[in-house]
Amino acid sequence: MSSVKSYNRLDKNDAVVLLVDHQTGLISLVQDFSPNEFKNNVLALADLAKFFQLPTILTTSFEQGPNGPLVPELKAMFPAAPYIARPGQINAWDNEDFVKAIKATGRKQLIIAGVVTDVCVAFPTLSALAEGYEVFVVTDASGTFNETVQQAAWARMSAAGAQLMNWFSVACELHRDWRNDIEGLGNLLSERIPNYRNLMNSYAALTK
């Protein structure tokens, strides 16, 4: 019997983005990416969620404590999105409102990122997988204490069936074909990957 798994691509009509605990206090714990790099990656994921018009759910943990509030840029980008301020549950999946918001979308592909990777991302990922969801972890928009912890968290989630991606590959897999919108996606990538602007400048020169 073949052990090869089928390739289930991300589908913009079946995906929902979960941004978990990107809070002003917790972000100070992220050491596996530089602060500017991490912020850029998180906002890039948010950009593509808006570009592909994906349902997006925001959640925070114990805002009144040292974890702090959601970073303001995300709140500003998704003013109408479900916003679940969890009073204490560490695993977002233990919060009924969070799970209800996901189920209300009717979608089965979860694109998740958060802080910290080994807890705030890993715990709901494992819970969602156990309930039959497909989970795609955005590795570079999730951060933790160091690379050792990062690798252990990635291994745990991957072994359970999660797919590990970066935000760029998420964008490309959702887009499928450049002809769908060359300049739209190209400009999004250029805003978050400075070197990508060179490609778009070259393209613009050739198409004048």
Side-chain angles (χ1 to χ4, degrees), residues 85-170:
R86 308 192 311 280
Q89 298 96 342
I90 294 174
N91 183 348
W93 208 264
D94 290 339
N95 182 282
E96 290 184 8
D97 292 334
F98 180 71
V99 176
K100 283 180 181 177
I102 294 170
K103 290 182 177 178
T105 68
R107 301 186 172 208
K108 298 293 287 184
Q109 294 186 331
L110 310 184
I111 301 171
I112 186 170
V115 181
V116 290
T117 310
D118 42 309
V119 175
C120 307
V121 177
F123 292 178
T125 291
L126 297 171
S127 298
L129 288 167
E131 293 198 22
Y133 287 88
E134 285 186 87
V135 183
F136 301 79
V137 176
V138 188
T139 55
D140 54 352
S142 303
T144 190
F145 301 100
N146 55 56
E147 290 188 4
T148 301
V149 175
Q150 174 201 83
Q151 294 295 320
W154 289 357
R156 186 184 188 193
M157 291 185 284
S158 182
Q163 298 190 49
L164 306 185
M165 302 180 72
N166 63 331
W167 72 261
F168 180 83
S169 63
V170 169

Side-chain angles (χ1 to χ4, degrees), residues 46-61:
D47 285 343
L48 71 87
K50 291 181 71 69
F51 179 78
F52 292 106
Q53 300 180 332
L54 303 179
T56 301
I57 298 169
L58 311 172
T59 185
T60 58
S61 172

Side-chain angles (χ1 to χ4, degrees), residues 192-208:
R192 298 299 172 188
I193 306 174
N195 289 344
Y196 207 91
R197 178 59 63 186
N198 296 333
L199 276 72
M200 292 306 295
N201 289 341
S202 174
Y203 169 74
L206 288 171
T207 54
K208 280 183 179 178

